[in-house]
Amino acid sequence: MWIYLLLLVLLAAIYWVRQRLAYWKRRGVAYVEPSFPQGNLQGVGKQHHIAQVLQRCYRQLKATSGGPYGGMYFFINPVALLLDLDLIKAVLVKDFQYFHDRNLYHNDRDDPLSRHLVAMEGTKWKNLRAKLTPTFTSGKMKLMFSTVTAVADEFTSCLSHELERSTELEMKDLLARFTTDVIGTVAFGLECNSLADPQAKFRMMGRKIFEPSPSRVMKNFLASQFPGLARMLRVVLTPTDITDFFMTVVKDTVQFREKNNVQRNDFMTLLMKVMKDQEQSGTAGTVGERLTMDDMAAQAFVFFLAGFETSSTTMSFCLYELALNQAIQDRARQEVRDVLQQHDSISYEAVHEMKYIEMCINESLRKYPPATTLTRKVTKDYRIGNGNQVLPKGLMVAVPVYALHHDPDYFPEPDRFDPERFSAQQTEKRHPFAFLPFGEGPRVCIGLRFGMMQARIGLVYLLKHFRFTLASKMSVPLKVTPSSPILSIDGGLWLNVEKL
């Protein structure tokens, strides 16, 4: 009896999986042939980065589908891969009300650091985004500028000290220590000291967040493919020691500042102001509207997470290309010198006058976007244009950012590093949705101004004081780490550094 029941369950499971993997075929949509159990993600995390796999799918579908999107599979889940830039614009901006959620796992009850702005959905996301948006205006960036330059001064001293031991340096970790100290200071108002001590607590936590392990891989798989089941099973993605560390840091910082009336131009002060304003306005008791201590910790955590890693990898890739292209490096350095001659110091205005530096950063973000894919969940049935094609509620859609950035139709010779692509004249000729390093629309990266400011300042200081060439152990072309959630240089960034 039990054998028959088990056989029946097995047959039902096989039928269900086959039906899932026939989703696009039944709908008559061009798709990339999947295989069980990974769908179209074979080799991801081992031989290939997900960006490279989606690029292959994008090229195949663009050549064969003839439509604005094609079908693929993340394991057994169907995904609509968007190919047409106007459809991407509709999804991210024009028809945002159909696609307002990112399809990222969060578990508010058991994993408090997951209830951050990046993963939040619906009204909760909308309310918190409205509260936090004023903290990232250009005026607030100006207030934070001197805090970042103070860390950049320390970074320059640290690099000079390292050069006393060797002229060949691994810059990827040094840049991560720089951005860790910047974010720690700006987000928490704390001296992280990771430039002075590579084993400082904040730096160790930053490393640990991105460390893969078999148990985390399994949890991530369950959470990404079956989020409802994962929440029911109380799956937690953030390791307990990381949660405890950030919760304690935020609570201690808030208590110390309230007790001693400490005011700083940083993210924590701005979060505390939001909390104070809601208490004074009487909204503190409204469930769902209230910004709690856990919410503050989650926002500070994701600001730290996104800010230190994405900015350091962006600067790493940019330095790699500048070391490979000496003429571009010389031109960028000359711009720094020319602009600083007109200003008494490295000021907010001076850095924003350096247009060629910005072009170099943008070209680095094009060639190596940290967030290689944008995902959205269809929240109600969406008809594409005036046609018969409908994206049904619950379906996941993906914007292949890396593939778009390497599409020769938009960026001729996409593997060549050419900052001139981002001159005003070239940018004007191009469809604005061909370049999406920060996303676009209401869910555009809230910290993009800060990220760009941090990268600008870091590169200005580096180019002003040092010259970079590739070390012999650096591979050309470089390899990316297959298992990293964001694009990252495999084996580190080894450069010869000369003090000027």
Side-chain angles (χ1 to χ4, degrees), residues 317 320-321 363-370 402 406 478 487:
F317 284 120
Y320 167 82
E321 291 290 351
E363 176 64 347
S364 184
L365 287 167
R366 176 199 69 81
K367 201 171 172 187
Y368 312 101
Y402 181 89
H406 289 78
L478 56 71
L487 274 194

Side-chain angles (χ1 to χ4, degrees), residues 438-498:
F438 299 103
E440 196 48 84
R443 285 202 92 134
V444 68
C445 172
I446 195 171
L448 75 88
R449 279 195 183 98
F450 182 83
M452 285 296 287
M453 182 177 78
Q454 184 177 213
R456 275 193 187 103
I457 292 169
L459 287 169
V460 166
Y461 271 78
L462 288 171
L463 291 170
K464 181 175 184 280
H465 296 287
F466 307 97
R467 180 181 301 279
F468 302 91
T469 53
L470 290 188
S472 56
K473 63 175 78 173
M474 199 66 218
S475 63
V476 180
L478 56 71
K479 298 183 179 106
V480 299
T481 308
S483 58
S484 175
I486 65 172
L487 274 194
S488 180
I489 301 172
D490 199 26
L493 172 64
W494 290 92
L495 298 179
N496 295 313
V497 184
E498 175 196 345

Side-chain angles (χ1 to χ4, degrees), residues 181-253:
D181 281 2
V182 169
I183 298 295
T185 306
V186 169
F188 301 96
L190 299 173
E191 302 295 327
C192 297
N193 295 319
S194 61
L195 281 169
D197 176 14
Q199 301 306 315
K201 192 74 173 174
F202 266 92
R203 181 68 192 115
M204 286 172 66
M205 287 296 163
R207 284 195 199 100
K208 185 164 186 178
I209 291 164
F210 289 96
E211 273 176 9
S213 70
S215 64
R216 287 181 78 176
V217 168
M218 286 302 297
K219 285 180 180 179
N220 279 317
F221 165 71
L222 184 63
S224 64
Q225 300 306 304
F226 307 102
L229 177 62
R231 272 189 282 271
M232 193 171 76
L233 295 173
R234 307 188 76 156
V235 169
V236 173
L237 299 185
T238 315
T240 307
D241 57 342
I242 291 176
T243 299
D244 292 344
F245 173 75
F246 281 98
M247 284 290 191
T248 302
V249 164
V250 169
K251 285 174 184 172
D252 288 352
T253 302

Side-chain angles (χ1 to χ4, degrees), residues 11-216:
L11 288 171
I14 291 170
Y15 175 77
W16 179 71
V17 168
R18 283 187 168 175
Q19 287 295 102
R20 295 283 288 179
L21 295 179
Y23 182 90
W24 293 117
K25 187 177 182 181
R26 289 201 310 274
R27 282 159 177 74
V29 173
Y31 65 98
V32 182
E33 193 67 47
S35 64
F36 182 79
Q38 290 172 296
N40 298 120
L41 300 183
Q42 301 94 331
V44 168
K46 292 180 180 177
Q47 297 90 23
H48 311 292
H49 192 275
I50 190 169
Q52 296 161 330
V53 171
L54 261 63
Q55 184 184 29
R56 284 203 296 271
C57 293
Y58 170 84
R59 286 173 173 171
Q60 180 180 329
L61 290 168
K62 194 175 177 187
T64 58
S65 78
Y69 73 98
M72 65 172 298
Y73 295 87
F74 286 6
F75 296 94
I76 59 172
N77 288 326
V79 175
L81 192 68
L82 307 187
L83 311 172
D84 177 72
L85 296 182
D86 289 325
L87 176 57
I88 291 169
K89 181 180 179 179
V91 166
L92 298 181
V93 183
K94 193 161 80 57
D95 297 318
F96 175 76
Q97 69 269 29
Y98 292 86
F99 305 95
H100 51 72
D101 296 337
R102 274 207 175 99
N103 209 48
L104 295 178
Y105 179 74
H106 58 94
N107 179 348
D108 295 5
R109 178 182 57 181
D110 306 301
D111 192 355
L113 292 187
S114 73
R115 57 199 274 184
H116 53 69
L117 197 63
V118 177
M120 267 185 187
E121 298 176 342
T123 307
K124 282 181 75 174
W125 164 79
K126 188 178 178 183
N127 292 336
L128 188 58
R129 175 83 186 207
K131 288 190 182 89
L132 295 184
T133 295
T135 67
F136 291 98
T137 60
S138 54
K140 294 293 195 300
M141 293 306 101
K142 211 168 179 177
L143 292 174
M144 294 179 187
F145 186 85
S146 60
T147 307
V148 182
T149 54
V151 180
D153 280 323
E154 193 183 334
F155 183 36
T156 305
S157 301
C158 173
L159 217 51
S160 299
H161 181 66
E162 292 285 337
L163 288 176
E164 292 171 9
R165 295 182 228 171
S166 172
T167 57
E168 187 175 288
L169 301 179
E170 199 289 284
M171 289 297 298
K172 182 181 159 190
D173 184 62
L174 281 162
L175 286 163
R177 284 156 61 188
F178 163 62
T179 55
T180 296
D181 281 2
V182 169
I183 298 295
T185 306
V186 169
F188 301 96
L190 299 173
E191 302 295 327
C192 297
N193 295 319
S194 61
L195 281 169
D197 176 14
Q199 301 306 315
K201 192 74 173 174
F202 266 92
R203 181 68 192 115
M204 286 172 66
M205 287 296 163
R207 284 195 199 100
K208 185 164 186 178
I209 291 164
F210 289 96
E211 273 176 9
S213 70
S215 64
R216 287 181 78 176

Side-chain angles (χ1 to χ4, degrees), residues 220-356:
N220 279 317
F221 165 71
L222 184 63
S224 64
Q225 300 306 304
F226 307 102
L229 177 62
R231 272 189 282 271
M232 193 171 76
L233 295 173
R234 307 188 76 156
V235 169
V236 173
L237 299 185
T238 315
T240 307
D241 57 342
I242 291 176
T243 299
D244 292 344
F245 173 75
F246 281 98
M247 284 290 191
T248 302
V249 164
V250 169
K251 285 174 184 172
D252 288 352
T253 302
V254 170
Q255 286 170 5
F256 177 81
R257 291 192 183 191
E258 286 178 343
K259 185 179 176 181
N260 298 282
N261 195 27
V262 175
Q263 296 294 320
R264 290 176 58 116
N265 292 319
D266 61 17
F267 187 54
M268 191 59 67
T269 295
L270 298 167
L271 282 173
M272 288 172 68
K273 186 177 183 302
V274 170
M275 211 168 175
K276 191 174 180 182
D277 288 349
Q278 71 184 11
E279 285 170 7
Q280 290 176 347
S281 64
T283 59
T286 311
V287 177
E289 294 279 332
R290 183 172 65 244
L291 184 71
T292 65
M293 190 68 78
D294 283 359
D295 290 326
M296 285 182 69
Q299 307 329 308
F301 170 70
V302 79
F303 184 42
F304 172 80
L305 186 68
F308 97 82
E309 186 70 13
T310 56
S311 291
S312 66
T313 53
T314 296
M315 284 190 282
S316 294
F317 284 120
C318 195
L319 271 189
Y320 167 82
E321 291 290 351
L322 292 177
L324 197 60
N325 300 278
Q326 287 296 310
I328 295 174
Q329 184 182 152
D330 289 342
R331 182 176 167 186
R333 182 178 293 105
Q334 192 57 49
E335 181 188 57
V336 171
R337 287 172 174 164
D338 291 345
V339 171
L340 291 183
Q341 273 184 352
Q342 300 163 29
H343 294 261
D344 294 333
S345 60
I346 297 179
S347 63
Y348 182 85
E349 291 74 19
V351 167
H352 280 77
E353 280 179 31
M354 298 176 190
K355 297 302 178 189
Y356 193 70

